[in-house]
């Protein structure tokens, strides 16, 4: 498991080497990120401004508690709300970026496949309209899953110690997994594989998938870092999509 996790991280480093050595590829991958980043920044700013009111609304049972207990519960609730919101926002960010920049990321995937992987026999051409539709459809499905996890994590956040230690780690793992499903969409679709098959294939190499996606998830939390990491993640995700089916077929 540790070896596979390290292999996944190595694929991400390979993705960085590919895009940093090709300015055209880096620029193509960065442009959609900038647009989506502006949209997501606006949404998270609105959440931050209204966080106190949201937490108070969600914890009416603490209104008449002693101030110390009330503040403790609401601080914990605020922390879990932020963690859950970030988990959902990263998945939503990835989906919107792929939908907006479909042709850009398809060209990156195709270039990586042709120059690094030796090409994909009978690869499908996706096109912007189809990529946008598939991206939005899959994003809705994955965001709904993320919301279910967010509700569960919010509830777990009230458990002493676990809520402040285990929950953030679990949120990163869940968010990173959903992000991996998003980032590998284009190379899997080019191979004629749908969302169900994509998820099953990634599960066959879960540790490798998380080794690739956890660092991407964490770096995407840094403002504007996604401008560089997202093109690299697309290149790495293309290589991952190529390796896992071959690996699971042995």
């Amino acid at each position: 498991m540790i070896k596979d996790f390290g292999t996944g991280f190595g694929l991400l480093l390979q993705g960085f080497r590919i895009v940093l050595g090709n300015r055209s590829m880096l620029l193509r991958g960065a442009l959609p990120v900038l647009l989506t980043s502006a949209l997501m920044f606006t949404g998270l700013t609105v959440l931050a401004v209204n966080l106190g009111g949201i937490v108070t609304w969600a914890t009416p049972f603490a209104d008449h508690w002693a101030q110390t207990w009330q503040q403790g519960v609401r601080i914990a609730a605020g922390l879990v709300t932020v963690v859950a919101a970030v988990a959902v926002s990263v998945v939503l960010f990835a989906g919107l970026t792929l939908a907006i920049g479909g042709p850009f990321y398809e060209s990156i995937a195709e270039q990586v496949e042709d120059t690094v992987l030796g090409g994909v026999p009978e690869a499908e051409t996706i096109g912007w309209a189809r990529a946008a539709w598939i991206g939005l459809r899959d994003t809705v499905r994955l965001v709904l899953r993320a919301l279910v996890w967010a509700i569960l994590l919010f509830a777990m956040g009230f458990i002493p110690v676990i809520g402040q230690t285990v929950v953030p780690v679990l949120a990163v793992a869940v968010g990173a997994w959903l992000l991996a499903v998003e980032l590998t969409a284009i190379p899997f679709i080019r191979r004629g594989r749908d969302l169900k098959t994509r998820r099953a294939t990634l599960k066959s190499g879960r540790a490798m998938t998380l080794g690739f996606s956890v660092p991407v998830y964490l770096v995407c939390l840094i403002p504007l870092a996604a401008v560089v990491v997202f093109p690299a993640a697309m290149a790495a995700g293309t290589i991952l999509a190529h390796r896992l089916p071959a690996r699971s077929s042995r």
Side-chain angles (χ1 to χ4, degrees), residues 32-33 36 40 87-101 105 135 139 142-143 175 178-183 185 216 220 230 234:
V33 174
T36 311
M40 297 304 300
V88 173
S89 67
V90 172
V91 175
L92 182 59
F93 167 82
L96 289 176
T97 301
L98 292 173
I100 293 171
Y105 294 117
T139 297
L142 293 171
V143 167
L178 295 175
L179 183 60
V181 177
E182 289 275 18
L183 287 171
V216 175
C220 280
F230 214 82
M234 176 54 61

Side-chain angles (χ1 to χ4, degrees), residues 155-249:
M156 291 176 61
F158 293 102
I159 303 175
V161 182
I162 292 178
Q164 292 71 52
T165 55
V166 175
V167 168
V169 174
L170 186 58
V172 170
V174 172
W177 176 261
L178 295 175
L179 183 60
V181 177
E182 289 275 18
L183 287 171
T184 55
I186 289 177
F188 273 115
I189 293 171
R190 282 174 53 81
R191 290 165 170 77
R193 295 179 172 88
D194 58 15
L195 176 60
K196 182 178 179 180
T197 305
R198 190 194 325 163
R199 291 175 56 207
T201 303
L202 292 175
K203 284 181 180 179
S204 73
R206 191 187 300 272
M208 188 183 298
T209 299
L210 290 175
F212 149 72
S213 62
V214 167
V216 175
Y217 180 89
L218 294 174
V219 174
C220 280
L221 300 180
I222 303 172
L224 297 181
V227 172
V228 176
V229 75
F230 214 82
M234 176 54 61
T238 300
I239 300 172
L240 178 69
H242 173 80
R243 290 191 60 167
L244 286 180
R247 184 173 182 268
S248 61
S249 65

